[in-house]
Amino acid sequence: MAAEGGFPAIRSMGLTGLLVSFADRLSEPANRAALAYRAAVEGENWPGVEETSTSLASVFLRFDPLSMAPGDLRARLDALLASRDWFSAPLPSNRRRWRIPTVYGTDLAPQLGEAAEAAGISIGEAVSELSTTAVRVLTIGFAPGQPYLGELSPRWDIPRQVALTRRVPEGALVVAIRQLILFSAATPTGWRHIGQTAFRAFRPESADPFPLRPGDELLFPAIEPGELAAIRAADTHGDGGASVEVIA
Amino acid sequence: MRQMSVLRAGPAITVQDAGRPGMLVQGLSRGGAADPVALAEGAALLGQSRDLAALELAGFGGVFGFAESTRLALTGAPMRADIDGKALTWNASHQIEPGQILTVGGCEAGAYGYLHLAGGVATDPVLGSRSAHLVAGIGAPVRAGDNLPIGPDAGQGQNLVLDVEDRFSGGTARVVHSAQTALFPAAERERFEATEFTRDDRANRMGVRLTLAGKGFAADRQLSILSEVIVPGDIQVTGDGTPFVLLPECQTTGGYPRIGTVIPADLPMVAQAGPGARLRFRFVGYDEAIEAERRHRAMLRDLPRRPRPAIRDPREIQDLLSYRLIDGMISAYDT
C-alpha cells in the first residue's frame, strides 16, 4: 500500500461518523483512491453502516454506534485499506463525456475579466483554454448534484475572493483553486462567476435527479448569449443543450 | 381527501418529516425537522407513525381553517394557540370541528413549533420525503391560500398531554471530536468549553451562529484545509473565528475546520435555542456519548406510552355525559 505522509488516515467525525482520508490536498491519485475505496466499502455491505460518501480525497461512513462498535469498523476499514494500492485504482466505469454550452463573461457571468487577470492571461486566452479543457467530476457535494471539477492548469490556482458574491444563479460556472463548480442552485459564493449554462445538475422532479457522476468528463464549449436564450426556451428537462456520450 | 386551509402564514412555515438520509454522496443533506424530538412527540400524542409529515413553524405560526373534524397536536417551541379564541394547551392533542379556526402565534421560547395533523400532511413526496429543503430547491414555504391535503386518520387519542423537559432555553450541549478537532490547540478547545455563547439572530435550518464576548477561535491551517463532508451537529469555525452549529439543511461539504460535533441527543436543544438564548459546550468521551445516545433512543421509544389525559375542569365541559371518560390512552408511565 503506497501510503504517503501519514495517509491514508482514519479519524472519527462525531458520534456516528468515520472519515478515511487519502491526502490533505487534492491530487488525482487521492481522488481515484477515494472513489474506488468507497465503491469497495459499499460492496462489503457491513451491518451498521448506514451511508457512505466521498469528498475530494476522502471517504465518509455514517454508522450506527449501537449496532457496530467504531473499533470494529476501524479494524475492517484498516484491513480493506491494506488489501490493495488504492492510489493506483482505476477511474469508475460507465463514465460519460458531457458537452455543456456555456456563455463566458458578459453580464451573465461578470467575473471572467477578474478571474483571467488573477490567472495572468487575457480574457480571450481564458475563454480559449476553459472552453476546450476537459475536466472531470471529482466529487458531488455542497449542494445536491453539484460537481467539483478539475484539475485546471496551475495558472488557475487562484484564491477564493475575500468577500462573498451575494448570489449567483443556478447553472453558473465558477472558478477557484484549479477547480470549477457548476452550481446546482442559486447560492452565495466566494468563487468567481466566469460562465453561465442552462444545465440543471439537480432535477428533483426527474427519474434521474442527479445526472452527473464522479468520473464523468465535462467540456464547456463557448456560445453567445442569444444561443443560451434559445436553448433555455427549447429545453424541457434541464440538459441545457448538452450532449452526452459514454467514454469508458 | 381532507384538507387544511392556510388563511394566514408566518414567513417560514414548511412541511417536514424525517428528511432524506442517505443522499450525502449526491450532495443532498438529510434535511427534515429541525427538532426531530418534537416530530416524535406529535406522533405520540396522535397515536400515529412518526414517519408522517407535520408543519414546522419557525418563529411564527399562522391561521388555519378546517372543513372537517380533525385531530391535531402542538409540540416543539411553545407558541400561543387557540381555537376560536379558546386557548389551547401546548404539548397536547386537540380536536377541531368544521368551520372552527386555529390560530397559532409567535414563539414564547425556542425557535421551532410544530403543528401535527392526524393522518399527517399528505403532500406528494419528493425523493422519498415530504420535507421542504429550501436550500436545495425542494418544496416551498407554506403560504396563505394553500390547501394542504391531510392523510387518513388511523390513530386515536385527543385531549392528551405530554410532559416535556425544557429544551427551548439553551443549555450545555455535549460534544465529541470531529475530524479536525485536533487542528485546534488544546488551549483553544479549553477556552471553547469555558465560553458562554449567545445564539445569534442569524440562525436558520442550515445552522445557528454563535456570538461570544471574547475573540474567536483559531485552528492551525484554518484557511487551507481540504473540503470535507459535513454532518448535522458539526461546529464549524469560519474565517473570523465565529462558530456555527450546523443543522439538518446544512451544505454537505465544507472547507472550514470543525472544532467538534454536538451529539444527536443534544442537537434539538441547540436548534431550539431561541434568539438570545445562552449555549455552552462540553467535550465528552466516547462512553459518555454512547450512553447518552442509548438513553435518547430509549426516550424516543417510550414516547408513545407517555401521553396522559388532560385534567379538565368539569365546569368547562358543557355536555359531560357525552364524554367517554375512561376511553383513550391511559399511561402507567405517568411522570
Side-chain angles (χ1 to χ4, degrees):
Chain A
M1 164 104 243
E4 11 181 286
F7 290 96
I10 305 178
R11 286 170 290 171
S12 74
M13 230 180 150
L15 186 60
T16 60
L18 285 176
L19 186 72
V20 183
S21 302
F22 290 90
D24 58 2
R25 57 174 303 281
L26 175 61
S27 73
E28 162 79 20
N31 180 249
R32 277 191 282 108
L35 294 174
Y37 187 73
R38 176 194 174 240
V41 170
E42 283 283 310
E44 295 288 339
N45 266 316
W46 290 323
V49 173
E50 297 181 327
E51 172 167 25
T52 68
S53 177
T54 55
S55 41
L56 291 168
S58 63
V59 175
F60 172 75
L61 291 90
R62 181 167 62 82
F63 65 100
D64 176 3
L66 298 188
S67 66
M68 162 84 96
D72 294 347
L73 186 50
R74 276 175 186 255
R76 291 178 191 227
L77 291 169
D78 269 327
L80 187 58
L81 281 173
S83 69
R84 69 184 103 139
D85 179 5
W86 296 96
F87 292 98
S88 63
L91 282 168
S93 50
N94 290 319
R95 295 187 303 121
R96 285 91 43 89
R97 179 180 295 127
W98 299 79
R99 286 188 174 79
I100 301 176
T102 304
V103 174
Y104 288 91
T106 78
D107 57 344
L108 293 178
Q111 292 176 298
L112 175 66
E114 214 179 296
E117 190 181 337
I121 52 178
S122 71
I123 289 178
E125 287 167 326
V127 174
S128 158
E129 179 178 346
L130 294 169
S131 63
T132 55
T133 301
V135 285
R136 205 157 58 66
V137 178
L138 302 167
T139 187
I140 301 286
F142 193 85
Q146 181 165 294
Y148 284 69
L149 303 156
E151 262 192 314
L152 295 172
S153 63
R155 69 163 64 98
W156 292 102
D157 194 9
I158 62 177
R160 299 176 182 88
Q161 322 176 83
V162 177
L164 293 186
T165 307
R166 203 175 59 81
R167 185 180 180 278
V168 293
E170 180 181 14
L173 189 65
V174 300
V175 66
I177 52 171
R178 293 183 67 183
Q179 292 170 54
L180 298 168
I181 300 176
L182 178 57
F183 280 136
S184 67
T187 183
T189 183
W191 295 41
R192 287 182 174 85
H193 184 191
I194 55 160
Q196 185 62 46
T197 75
F199 189 83
R200 294 178 60 215
F202 177 46
R203 307 171 192 175
E205 73 293 344
S206 156
D208 185 15
F210 309 101
L212 300 176
R213 298 197 285 261
D216 283 359
E217 265 186 32
L218 272 65
L219 278 154
F220 296 97
I223 57 167
E224 295 301 317
E227 292 173 79
L228 190 70
I231 285 169
R232 279 193 201 283
D235 190 14
T236 51
H237 42 268
D239 274 350
S243 66
V244 57
E245 64 189 309
V246 174
I247 50 173
Chain B
M1 187 174 256
R2 292 178 302 147
Q3 287 192 336
M4 180 178 78
S5 321
V6 181
L7 306 174
R8 292 221 308 267
I13 300 180
T14 53
V15 176
Q16 295 296 338
D17 56 20
R20 300 172 183 83
M23 294 192 171
L24 267 184
V25 75
Q26 302 287 14
L28 180 57
S29 55
R30 181 189 316 171
D35 178 358
V37 173
L39 209 57
E41 288 167 345
L45 280 163
L46 293 172
Q48 65 188 15
S49 163
R50 61 185 56 165
D51 295 334
L52 296 174
L55 284 193
E56 182 176 278
L57 318 170
F60 295 93
V63 179
F64 309 97
F66 297 80
E68 287 173 77
S69 183
T70 304
R71 298 185 308 124
L72 59 90
L74 300 162
T75 68
M79 302 167 120
R80 240 182 295 274
D82 69 72
I83 292 177
D84 286 353
K86 188 167 180 307
L88 297 178
T89 308
W90 203 258
N91 291 314
S93 60
H94 307 279
Q95 178 146 329
I96 190 161
E97 301 302 338
Q100 290 191 317
I101 300 292
L102 168 70
T103 302
V104 185
C107 285
E108 292 170 341
Y112 298 98
Y114 292 82
L115 166 58
H116 311 259
L117 303 172
V121 179
T123 46
D124 291 334
V126 175
L127 299 174
S129 161
R130 297 188 165 90
S131 280
H133 192 310
L134 300 183
V135 175
I138 301 174
V142 170
R143 295 188 199 288
D146 287 355
N147 286 302
L148 296 173
I150 305 173
D153 181 0
Q156 58 173 338
Q158 56 176 300
N159 297 322
L160 299 177
V161 297
L162 192 58
D163 299 309
V164 168
E165 272 184 51
D166 180 12
R167 60 173 185 277
F168 309 106
S169 331
T172 300
R174 290 162 288 185
V175 171
V176 292
H177 281 204
S178 182
Q180 294 124 1
T181 300
L183 293 181
F184 290 84
E188 282 292 86
R189 281 183 264 160
E190 282 164 23
R191 192 164 67 84
F192 178 75
E193 284 193 286
T195 300
E196 184 179 67
F197 296 93
T198 303
R199 187 270 212 183
D200 192 83
D201 287 343
R202 276 166 281 183
N204 54 33
R205 293 175 38 79
M206 296 177 71
V208 171
R209 185 176 192 269
L210 303 172
T211 54
L212 67 160
K215 68 180 171 75
F217 300 90
D220 300 333
R221 299 188 293 132
Q222 178 115 354
L223 294 175
S224 64
I225 64 166
L226 199 59
S227 285
E228 290 291 3
V229 166
I230 282 179
V231 292
D234 277 2
I235 307 169
Q236 173 178 272
V237 179
T238 53
D240 65 359
T242 305
F244 279 80
V245 183
L246 297 164
L247 293 182
E249 218 163 279
C250 60
Q251 70 273 27
T252 64
T253 59
Y256 291 119
R258 279 144 267 158
I259 195 167
T261 304
V262 176
I263 64 171
D266 290 349
L267 197 52
M269 183 269 287
V270 176
Q272 286 285 17
R278 304 297 164 89
L279 289 165
R280 286 176 172 274
F281 299 92
R282 179 168 69 85
F283 280 100
V284 296
Y286 177 73
D287 290 345
E288 187 177 344
I290 279 290
E291 185 51 29
E293 178 68 12
R294 203 168 265 132
R295 292 169 71 107
H296 184 63
R297 291 197 201 174
M299 181 276 288
L300 290 172
R301 222 173 16 245
D302 285 345
L303 270 180
R305 298 197 292 122
R306 285 192 24 213
R308 57 179 175 78
I311 298 161
R312 304 189 65 194
D313 183 341
R315 286 169 300 183
E316 283 183 16
I317 303 176
Q318 285 164 3
D319 185 5
L320 192 61
L321 289 176
S322 74
Y323 280 79
R324 293 179 294 167
L325 291 171
I326 55 167
D327 198 9
M329 297 169 77
I330 294 179
S331 172
Y333 193 87
D334 228 27
T335 48

